[in-house]
Amino acid sequence: MCMADIIQLLPDSVANQIAAGEVVQRPASVVKELIENAIDAGANDISITIIDAGRTLIQIVDNGSGMSETDARMAFERHATSKIKTAKDIFEIRSMGFRGEALASIAAVAHVELKTKRETDELGTRIVIKGSEVELQEPVQFQTGTSFQVKNIFYNIPARRKFLKKNETEFKYILSEIYHTALSHPHIVFTIYKDGDLYAKFPKSHLKQRIVSIFGKRLEKCLLAIESETSICKLYGFIGTPETAKKQNYDQYFFVNNRFFRQRSFQGAVMKAYDSLLSSKEYPPFFVFIEVNPADIDVNIHPTKTEIKFAEEYNIASIIESAVRYSLGKSNIVPSLDFMDESDYTDMFSPKSSGDFSMPSTKVNSSYNPFESTSAGTSGSNIKHWEKLFEDFEHTPEPDIPEYSRQMSLDSEPQHIHVPQATCLQVQKKYIITQGKTGLFIIDIKRAHSRILFERFLKQISEQELVSQKTLIPIQFDVDYTEFEIISELLPDLQKMGFDIEIFGKNSFVLHGCPSDIEMTMLVDIIRNFTGVYAENTQSMKQDLQHQIATSMAQSAALFRNVNMQQDEMQQFVAQLFQCESHSLSADGKPAVVLLEYDEILKKFN
Ligand code: ADP
Ligand code: MG
């Protein structure tokens, strides 16, 4: 017996309805698609009319390019688009749409009327379509641009219509779609009418004004700019100060090439930068715009396109975190800048760099000091800024800088600064608390020490300036094979840093001296530990060799630091720390200083 073939091609109207299931999930999806089309058509004025949360009517009128008579008809065909021509173009997408399925889908599940006219045409075109069937096409008087009316959505899919949520909710969805596009296109005028009344109008503006006109004046004084430019991406936008945080994360927006998207890892990166400033249940508003080469993202993974794959996801997350951290630091909210000085930045990206990798740059003022109450200074050294820290203390005696009293600090400190200094208090053998101009500093001793040592080591390596204290008796010590390999290889640099080490036969060294302010009694442990830290660092951070040696040795020496300090010693220590270029971070980039602002303290007492 012969069986008939059973596979058939679906009629267009059915295929469109199936596709519509994905593209048109609710009235808000229609609003989104139509606004995006208007933007792609070059409109700078878009008006949106919504009746019954879109159940009865959605109308979008734009002043964009308009369409020819033939294009107007073609626009409703599935996979009809003017935006890409070949598969290759998908990787160069700059427009909002490109799939050519929105209009076909919308027309499959609603009554649609299109009116459109190009500037060069005398008359426009009017087309009426119901459930994919063209009911009417005629010439019409119309201004340049396009108007879409979408009525009775899901009239032919009762289940869908029934499952729409109550008007209030559906209107919220619509608003959020409008906000996405309005935020990413502040130069476009948006006018929203709801059930016959003017609901909102966003005039042509800049990003910050647009944010304020959408989210309210409350944000006006509480937005901090973020900005960064690397070879991987360009980043800009605004973040809210911690006090603007809310219990929900509704006002958190990411855009890539002006397209709204969601990405957990990026959201996590922003939240991480706020770290200790917020509790885990508080969400600051942010509006982060990323620009990347379109070839480095894949927008083609979901028809509603709010999930986007990034080739450089991990690196971009780090860039976001740094930029937010920097912005918060700059505005005196947290002393955690300098994280992105150029050397750190390069390190972050060098592992993946290919031949044509260009040096990422970011606008960072390395002499900026977060401890000043005025905004970032543009000139001068850290020392100058640093002096201001203490300048308005009530009693400002000018003490003689005491000799650094530790037994092992035989040589002089690199720089003596004569500044009046506040009393320091040591807490839990771990922290130093002291007062600054705008608040209390809480300094993590070991981390801070690693910073001081790191910067000094690095300087010594490059300047060949040898500062070393001699041991009374040479110390001989044995090591295992790997330790021997590492130390002998790095010997010249270690010597420059002040570690006076010599090879003493097989798997053995002898030590004649070490840099000042290193715990000499711990010297052997420090060096042994150094080899471990160094081995780990070579794997995790791709810094240049000297950075790596300096970081590792600084970490190692700080670990063995004796934290019992005298008053004068603490003051000297604080002075040294604030002379460092990145005084707020440990050698390996962790926070070393926390600023507890007087304002904050005052608030707590109220
Ligand atoms: P896509 O936007 O993915 O290309 P659509 O189905 O949304 O697909 O639109 C199909 C085509 O119709 C677009 O490529 C564009 O040429 C045209 N079009 C749609 N809306 C407008 C508009 N408001 N102004 C001018 N042309 C439009
Ligand atoms: Mg489109």
Side-chain angles (χ1 to χ4, degrees), residues 28-29 31-32 35 172-182:
S29 337
V31 174
K32 170 181 191 278
I35 294 179
K172 272 194 191 137
Y173 285 121
I174 291 175
L175 275 185
S176 96
E177 293 296 351
I178 297 175
Y179 292 168
H180 297 162
T181 33

Side-chain angles (χ1 to χ4, degrees), residues 33-34 36-41 62 64-67 71 74-77 80-84 96-105 114 116 145-148 305:
E33 294 293 338
L34 296 182
E36 290 188 351
N37 282 348
I39 291 171
D40 285 344
D62 71 57
S65 63
M67 287 177 262
D71 283 349
M74 268 296 281
F76 292 101
E77 293 295 325
T81 178
S82 55
K83 298 165 195 172
I84 57 172
M96 312 281 294
F98 66 89
R99 295 167 160 265
E101 31 184 29
L103 290 183
S105 302
L114 159 67
T116 186
T146 302
S147 154
F148 278 100
K305 293 172 286 197

Side-chain angles (χ1 to χ4, degrees), residues 76 111-114 126-130 133-138:
F76 292 101
H111 299 172
V112 179
E113 180 193 68
L114 159 67
R126 173 168 179 252
I127 292 179
V128 178
I129 295 193
K130 282 186 186 162
E133 300 288 331
V134 180
E135 301 216 317
L136 181 92
Q137 174 159 1
E138 62 182 14

Side-chain angles (χ1 to χ4, degrees), residues 231-232 312 315 346 348-358 360:
S231 58
I232 291 170
E312 297 275 3
N315 285 335
T346 333
M348 262 203 271
F349 306 116
S350 48
K352 280 200 171 174
S353 69
S354 53
D356 60 341
F357 187 84
S358 63

Side-chain angles (χ1 to χ4, degrees), residues 212-225:
V212 171
S213 54
I214 295 178
F215 298 96
K217 282 235 175 279
R218 168 185 91 90
L219 281 186
E220 192 156 29
K221 297 238 155 53
C222 309
L223 291 172
L224 309 173

Side-chain angles (χ1 to χ4, degrees), residues 459-478:
K459 191 161 160 254
Q460 284 169 356
I461 293 179
S462 58
E463 290 177 6
Q464 316 244 342
E465 150 203 335
L466 209 117
V467 189
S468 168
Q469 50 178 332
K470 293 271 172 255
T471 54
L472 290 176
I473 327 156
I475 308 168
Q476 189 254 323
F477 66 106
D478 294 334

